[in-house]
Amino acid sequence: MRLLNLFKIAYKAIILNKVRTLLTMLGIIIGVASVIAMLAIGEGSKESIRATISSMGSNMVTIRPGADDRGPARGSGGNVQTLTLEDYEVIKESSELLSYITPVVNSGGQAINGSNNWPSTIYGVYPDFINIKVVGLQSGSMFTDAEVKSAAKVALIGQTVVDNIFLNGDNPVGQMIRFNNIPFKVIGVLEEKGENTFGQDQDDIVVAPFTTVQKRILAIDYLNQIMASAISEDDAPEAVTQLTEILRTQHKLLDNEDDDFTVRSMEELISTFSSTSDMLTVLLVAVAGISLLIGGIGIMNIMYVSVKERTKEIGLRMAVGGKGSDILMQFLIEAILISVTGGVLGVALGLGATVFIESFLHWPTSVALYSIVISFAVCAITGIFFGWYPARKASALDPITALRYE
Amino acid sequence: MKKDIIKIEDLKREFTMGTETVHALKGISFAIKEGEFVTIMGSSGSGKSTMLNILGCLDQPTSGDYEIDRVKVKALSKNELATIRNEKIGFIFQSYNLLARTSAIENVELPLLYNSKVSNTERRERAVKALEMVGLGERLHHTPSQLSGGQQQRVAIARALVNNPVMILADEATGNLDTRTSYEIMSLFQELNKTQGITITFVTHEPDIAMFSSRTIVLKDGHIIKDENNDTILSAAAELAKLPKEDH
Ligand SMILES: Nc1ncnc2c1ncn2[C@@H]1O[C@H](COP(=O)(O)OP(=O)(O)OP(=O)(O)O)[C@@H](O)[C@H]1O
Ligand SMILES: [Mg+2]
């Protein structure tokens, strides 16, 4: 029997049973489409988290006082006072893996311009800060080492602060503001960075010389944090080890004592967050897998019923000379045609849904090739298997038994 | 001396249903020669269909020998049986067994689709010829639901003829039809038998239908109780002409 004839027979059978074909396809279409869309959402959020973290400076290494409690987003060290400027100086001198480094003190407070005020956070840092955070300036310039030395009352402000205390649209550079009642001259405006993935507004910030904030605002002698930049992203893990050793020596810790500080690289943070979003992806995949399973069961039912329902037809085909293999091939070709068409439509629908989610719901999405391959393969294989299996049983019957089937 | 188309020896067929065994055929032997027109009669449950299904290679006997056109059927594989059904036998069912929603021409083409020796164009030509032979040249593209019972049976007959079989087996082919249509079908069979020399084996309940054949075999409880040639074979065409016009 020529294959072309079998294709003709299978094609005619499909055309004759439009509704049944459509129902079978529907299971496949929905299964494939949902897997693709779900995985696109999972992958998309993962990529967006990664992108945010990278934009915060992927080489960044931070040292905080106090032992590691492994929370991803923590406060600024609270009341633990184990980090000092001396630590900073020792690290700066002895580590060759860092390109930039700055001590950090920070404090909440009110930024005031005339009658406008806005609650914000002031960071006392060295000029290296903007290189570590990879943030440019919209206007003005960074303060100098000399201004740090002299504890000059100058500050750079973020866009959110500008928006809330310079309501008339004046250029803030050169103007005076007050932070916690201490007057600062605005010498620059930081580039806008927007919200990060954790919903933190990165533009709600005032940056001033380290000494000014430490002495004039906080009046403390410890540090909230040390921020540094490894020479490259690859050096970051080694820098973490090195900094830990330096600080342990500096703090004269015995072998059996725990660190009284925490060194973290951005790389670590990235992996923490990608593992969180991996969990999200796993969850979405589970949901998609269930819909795929249900789709598969749908295919199975309809294929099974359709073969049962057509047992008489199978009997007739055998009575006029169809061999078991002809019958089997016919059903296999039918199943392949239905499954592949359904799979292609499912991929199209999945991609369409992804575009819709991206442009109307504004969720980040990213279509993974493997999701297309896997979902398509699963549906095609289920469809073909459950088309083939009952057909194989039917084709093994005696013609008269099949003809008699009610 | 004409050759035997069918030769059966001590044919038995048992059906097991749970613990019970039904002996449908209890040892049947006969031969049918080329060109014979045989009717098989007998009361309901006597084993007529069971026997015809075996003759048509649709079913296998429990024991006994069966030769069709000098080929021993017992030795054949499933695929070889399919080829025999396709090339040597035209089977006609009481319930027509046409593919629903499929045109007459496509129904008739069906056996040829399973015969790889027949090309596309030859297949179409032969199907048209077969339908013309049964008087349905004008109804090629009608589906079964658009045809009367008699017309559907003619499509089934055309389907049985299209592969130029050596014999036609019909199981109560006129059972669902009125007298006039039955006679029309019978006259078609008589003509095929006479002009083309096709061997016909025909199962029926009705004695008047049996009058059109050359030989009658009567079954009872799985045995042959009578097997005799007809002295006076009636012409179905002539009987048809005698029927009152408003009969149907
Ligand atoms: N598949 C089967 N399973 C069990 N018993 C069967 C089967 N087919 C036939 N029989 C039995 O075999 C016997 C003969 O049946 P068969 O169909 O050959 O009768 P028949 O002569 O064709 O009757 P009818 O004139 O009513 O068609 C019956 O008793 C029937 O019950
Ligand atoms: Mg019967």
Side-chain angles (χ1 to χ4, degrees):
Chain A
M1 170 115 205
R2 281 172 301 181
L3 205 63
L4 193 68
N5 285 355
L6 282 171
F7 259 102
K8 244 181 240 166
I9 293 173
Y11 176 74
K12 272 179 199 155
I14 287 176
I15 294 298
L16 277 181
N17 297 288
K18 287 192 201 73
V19 174
R20 195 195 66 212
T21 306
L22 221 73
L23 286 175
T24 315
M25 275 190 193
L26 210 61
I28 303 178
I29 292 171
I30 292 174
V32 171
S34 61
V35 170
I36 290 175
M38 298 273 185
L39 280 175
I41 293 171
E43 287 288 319
S45 69
K46 197 155 135 187
E47 268 178 28
S48 111
I49 289 173
R50 234 200 137 78
T52 311
I53 293 174
S54 295
S55 80
M56 287 158 64
S58 54
N59 304 355
M60 197 160 90
V61 178
T62 58
I63 307 165
R64 292 170 190 274
D68 183 11
D69 63 3
R70 282 286 152 190
R74 287 198 310 166
S76 49
N79 297 322
V80 192
Q81 304 178 5
T82 52
L83 223 50
T84 64
L85 198 60
E86 209 176 312
D87 293 337
Y88 157 78
E89 268 149 15
V90 170
I91 291 168
K92 189 179 164 80
E93 248 158 61
S94 42
S95 176
E96 73 290 353
L97 292 169
L98 304 177
S99 47
Y100 304 106
I101 181 161
T102 176
V104 179
V105 286
N106 55 275
S107 166
Q110 295 287 328
I112 303 166
N113 174 34
S115 57
N116 303 317
N117 63 36
W118 177 251
S120 189
T121 307
I122 192 163
Y123 285 81
V125 295
Y126 281 11
D128 271 359
F129 180 77
I130 53 169
N131 297 321
I132 297 169
K133 290 287 272 186
V134 207
V135 55
L137 300 180
Q138 286 183 45
S139 57
S141 57
M142 190 60 182
F143 47 78
T144 61
D145 286 331
E147 281 168 314
V148 173
K149 207 161 267 170
S150 65
K153 290 180 232 167
V154 292
L156 293 95
I157 54 179
Q159 189 60 43
T160 307
V161 180
V162 174
D163 290 344
N164 284 287
I165 64 173
F166 289 96
L167 298 177
N168 48 12
D170 285 352
N171 182 4
V173 177
Q175 310 239 28
M176 293 300 289
I177 61 166
R178 280 179 299 142
F179 194 92
N180 284 5
N181 286 324
I182 294 166
F184 283 91
K185 184 182 175 198
V186 177
I187 57 165
V189 177
L190 299 172
E191 219 172 54
E192 250 187 290
K193 287 196 117 182
E195 280 187 7
N196 66 17
T197 321
F198 325 117
Q200 240 175 7
D201 182 358
Q202 302 180 85
D203 300 322
D204 191 3
I205 181 174
V206 178
V207 179
F210 168 72
T211 42
T212 318
V213 178
Q214 195 195 28
K215 297 278 167 342
R216 294 181 197 269
I217 293 183
L218 290 165
I220 53 173
D221 55 4
Y222 57 88
L223 306 180
N224 293 117
Q225 205 181 135
I226 294 171
M227 278 187 190
S229 215
I231 289 165
S232 74
E233 214 175 307
D234 298 336
D235 287 321
E238 210 188 319
V240 171
T241 325
Q242 196 185 45
L243 295 188
T244 308
E245 268 166 32
I246 294 172
L247 279 178
R248 283 189 72 88
T249 319
Q250 172 70 10
H251 288 186
K252 301 190 173 62
L253 295 175
L254 299 173
D255 282 351
N256 59 355
E257 282 178 302
D258 287 336
D259 294 349
D260 58 357
F261 56 88
T262 307
V263 186
R264 283 267 189 101
S265 70
M266 213 31 126
E267 198 47 47
E268 250 178 292
L269 201 61
I270 291 174
S271 65
T272 309
F273 277 98
S274 27
S275 76
T276 315
S277 67
D278 273 345
M279 251 171 63
L280 176 75
T281 308
V282 166
L283 209 73
L284 289 173
V285 168
V287 171
I290 291 171
S291 60
L292 203 59
L293 185 75
I294 292 173
I297 292 173
I299 300 167
M300 183 174 96
N301 282 342
I302 293 172
M303 286 289 192
Y304 187 79
V305 169
S306 116
V307 173
K308 281 278 170 202
E309 179 189 278
R310 289 163 70 191
T311 304
K312 226 181 152 94
E313 174 195 328
I314 292 173
L316 173 72
R317 289 182 183 279
M318 296 209 279
V320 299
K323 299 184 172 76
S325 57
D326 294 335
I327 307 295
L328 195 57
M329 277 302 281
Q330 173 193 338
F331 277 86
L332 201 59
I333 292 170
E334 273 184 43
I336 290 173
L337 287 178
I338 292 174
S339 305
V340 169
T341 316
V344 168
L345 290 178
V347 169
L349 184 68
L351 295 180
T354 306
V355 170
F356 177 85
I357 289 166
E358 174 100 50
S359 50
F360 289 98
L361 302 179
H362 302 293
W363 291 4
T365 59
S366 163
V367 174
L369 184 67
Y370 75 89
S371 70
I372 296 181
V373 175
I374 289 177
S375 57
F376 188 89
V378 167
C379 275
I381 290 169
T382 336
I384 292 167
F385 178 76
F386 287 108
W388 166 80
Y389 182 71
R392 198 194 63 128
K393 287 184 90 171
S395 67
L397 294 175
D398 270 335
I400 197 67
T401 320
L403 266 174
R404 283 252 179 85
Y405 185 86
E406 292 300 338
Chain B
M1 185 66 192
K2 287 190 169 169
K3 67 171 177 180
D4 287 341
I5 288 289
I6 286 174
K7 196 168 154 225
I8 53 177
E9 276 289 328
D10 197 25
L11 205 68
K12 288 182 184 159
R13 180 68 168 104
E14 292 160 8
F15 295 104
T16 359
M17 300 167 72
T19 52
E20 230 179 300
T21 304
V22 180
H23 299 271
L25 298 176
K26 300 170 180 166
I28 286 184
S29 311
F30 63 77
I32 296 177
K33 292 200 186 322
E34 192 175 18
E36 272 193 289
F37 190 161
V38 181
T39 20
I40 295 174
M41 295 195 62
S43 56
S44 193
S46 56
K48 307 182 295 293
S49 295
T50 306
M51 193 182 75
L52 206 69
N53 291 337
I54 292 171
L55 295 184
C57 299
L58 297 173
D59 196 11
Q60 302 286 310
T62 311
S63 69
D65 287 320
Y66 173 28
E67 277 178 34
I68 174 168
D69 209 7
R70 299 206 183 98
V71 180
K72 279 193 167 33
V73 169
K74 210 189 253 175
L76 299 180
S77 71
K78 277 196 163 188
N79 282 352
E80 285 166 333
L81 285 175
T83 308
I84 293 264
R85 287 196 297 271
N86 187 248
E87 293 175 357
K88 294 201 186 295
I89 300 169
F91 208 103
I92 300 164
F93 304 90
Q94 178 172 2
S95 50
Y96 324 133
N97 278 339
L98 299 178
L99 290 181
R101 288 168 289 160
T102 304
S103 67
I105 182 91
E106 282 173 339
N107 263 295
V108 174
E109 279 183 328
L110 192 64
L112 297 179
L113 274 173
Y114 293 103
N115 184 343
S116 52
K117 291 172 216 149
V118 180
S119 73
N120 283 351
T121 40
E122 190 189 345
R123 184 172 72 230
R124 179 80 9 165
E125 278 167 18
R126 277 168 68 172
V128 172
K129 222 179 93 198
L131 276 166
E132 279 168 354
M133 209 184 299
V134 299
L136 286 178
E138 309 290 305
R139 298 275 192 282
L140 300 184
H141 300 289
H142 286 54
T143 61
S145 62
Q146 297 164 340
L147 295 168
S148 72
Q151 286 170 331
Q152 289 183 54
Q153 194 58 295
R154 284 164 192 269
V155 174
I157 293 169
R159 183 179 62 195
L161 291 173
V162 77
N163 242 349
N164 298 328
V166 295
M167 66 169 176
I168 283 185
L169 302 172
D171 193 353
E172 302 191 43
T174 59
N176 288 350
L177 305 175
D178 63 26
T179 313
R180 170 176 287 273
T181 320
S182 302
Y183 283 15
E184 280 169 9
I185 298 282
M186 288 317 290
S187 94
L188 181 62
F189 277 136
Q190 278 190 329
E191 195 182 312
L192 288 170
N193 177 246
K194 210 169 284 166
T195 59
Q196 317 217 0
I198 300 178
T199 312
I200 298 176
T201 309
F202 195 98
V203 168
T204 184
H205 269 120
E206 294 145 82
D208 57 330
I209 296 286
M211 304 286 278
F212 301 128
S213 66
S214 58
R215 176 179 165 195
T216 305
I217 296 173
V218 181
L219 294 185
K220 191 180 179 208
D221 289 336
H223 292 291
I224 294 179
I225 54 163
K226 202 167 102 182
D227 181 354
E228 58 186 19
N229 289 328
N230 281 354
D231 307 328
T232 50
I233 305 168
L234 294 182
S235 156
E239 292 304 306
L240 190 57
K242 283 189 216 158
L243 285 176
K245 278 276 177 243
E246 57 286 314
D247 183 56
H248 51 288

